[in-house]
Amino acid sequence: MRFNVFCKENSIDQCDKIIKTLVEQGNIFTNDNPEYIISIGGDGTMLRAVRKYYDVIDHVYFIGINTGELGFYTDFLPNEADQIIHSVTCSPNYNHCPLLEYEMVYKNGSVVRNFALNEITILNSFRTQILEVTINDNPFEVFRGTGLLVSTPSGSTAYNKSLGGAVVDISIEAFQMTEVASINNRVYQTLGSPILLGKESILKLSSPNFNQATLTTDYMFDHLDDVESIKVWLSDKKIKLLTKCNHTFWHRVKRAFLGK
């Protein structure tokens, strides 16, 4: 196994031990064309690891070793190096987690495209944000409130869940839009519930004024003052996440939220 590691800062000692153990077992630690990326930390560390390796996402597999708290993307513990090797060589089992792809169009005509593993949000903490929501070029609604969140199936268990969004099986090729503190009265109305959009759907969010609004992408953020519109869709790209045998997506949901 050719591997590289991505470590949380306070996990350096454990990182060194895991590298040593894997190398002693005949695996190759390398920066050049690794087959596996081992993320050592929590879910935030995995999000950072995926972002670092976006350019080669189709050619690498991710392995999560949990030294954090929840560990939704991390199936293995630091003392389970032998299980990792067995899982890789004898009975590999992978979850394929789709990414969101989004495109920001700026007022000067420039375009920036990027990806997210969990979600993107448009949030305005200073004033009511108005967002014109279009689905496949068809006007859907005008949202007024704090903002909107768009999540992947694996990301549906994160911020989306805390907003009352549905937890979506990662085998379903869909993405979800969930409202954040919408204004609903006899004058202004939104659908008022999360919606699921299929693989072929393109969601467009535009506004007469993005002033003071921010776009968050997993753990990163951008100011939207000079943005005209944002398009979001489910990417063809997926991360391939090594899991323990018989550990399904729903096993991790149960472990993370029901503690059983």
Side-chain angles (χ1 to χ4, degrees):
M1 177 176 74
R2 294 169 57 85
F3 73 98
N4 202 339
V5 298
F6 190 90
C7 261
K8 189 176 181 179
E9 286 186 6
N10 61 5
S11 300
I12 297 299
D13 290 342
Q14 289 172 313
C15 181
D16 290 340
K17 290 178 183 178
I18 290 168
I19 291 173
K20 181 180 178 181
T21 300
L22 292 174
V23 170
E24 288 175 348
Q25 293 177 344
N27 301 286
I28 300 171
F29 175 61
T30 179
N31 290 317
D32 299 324
N33 301 316
E35 303 167 274
Y36 290 87
I37 306 301
I38 301 177
S39 171
I40 303 172
D43 290 332
T45 308
M46 178 63 78
L47 293 176
R48 287 170 171 79
V50 170
R51 177 163 293 276
K52 180 179 179 180
Y53 290 94
Y54 271 156
D55 291 343
V56 292
I57 205 85
D58 296 326
H59 309 294
V60 296
Y61 299 87
F62 290 87
I63 301 172
I65 296 179
N66 187 28
T67 62
E69 298 294 332
L70 188 60
F72 190 84
Y73 286 112
T74 53
D75 250 17
F76 298 91
L77 296 175
N79 62 351
E80 293 179 333
D82 289 340
Q83 287 193 43
I84 292 174
I85 299 305
H86 182 269
S87 296
V88 169
T89 59
C90 300
S91 55
N93 184 53
Y94 300 104
N95 282 164
H96 294 77
C97 302
L99 302 175
L100 283 177
E101 194 163 351
Y102 68 94
E103 180 181 272
M104 289 195 295
V105 179
Y106 286 82
K107 293 174 182 177
N108 63 7
S110 63
V111 176
V112 173
R113 183 175 289 188
N114 218 321
F115 299 90
L117 174 56
N118 264 2
E119 76 273 312
I120 70 169
T121 68
I122 297 174
L123 299 173
N124 198 321
S125 300
F126 299 96
R127 60 181 181 80
T128 298
Q129 182 61 52
I130 301 173
L131 291 169
E132 298 168 359
V133 180
T134 302
I135 301 173
N136 294 334
D137 295 325
N138 296 308
F140 180 70
E141 68 177 11
V142 177
F143 171 89
R144 289 174 173 83
T146 298
L148 291 172
L149 176 145
V150 186
S151 61
T152 62
S154 60
S156 69
T157 61
Y159 188 13
N160 170 75
K161 183 177 180 296
S162 71
L163 294 174
V167 175
V168 180
D169 194 313
I170 59 172
S171 66
I172 298 174
E173 292 196 315
F175 62 107
Q176 186 169 184
M177 184 184 80
T178 307
E179 299 178 356
V180 183
S182 61
I183 296 173
N184 278 289
N185 52 41
R186 64 181 181 84
V187 179
Y188 302 122
Q189 292 184 342
T190 65
L191 185 63
S193 66
I195 62 173
L196 282 177
L197 298 164
K199 179 70 171 66
E200 304 304 320
S201 297
I202 296 177
L203 178 68
K204 180 180 178 181
L205 305 172
S206 54
S207 177
N209 189 354
F210 276 117
N211 185 35
Q212 296 180 308
T214 58
L215 175 82
T216 67
T217 309
D218 293 334
Y219 63 93
M220 300 179 68
F221 74 92
D222 287 300
H223 294 289
L224 296 179
D225 292 356
D226 298 321
V227 170
E228 185 175 278
S229 64
I230 301 167
K231 287 184 178 180
V232 190
W233 61 95
L234 198 67
S235 176
D236 291 328
K237 292 182 179 294
K238 298 179 180 181
I239 71 162
K240 298 178 286 290
L241 184 67
L242 183 75
T243 65
K244 292 180 179 178
C245 293
N246 302 318
H247 273 216
T248 66
F249 170 77
W250 291 108
H251 176 276
R252 288 201 301 282
V253 171
K254 182 178 179 180
R255 181 189 66 189
F257 299 109
L258 300 178
K260 299 177 181 180

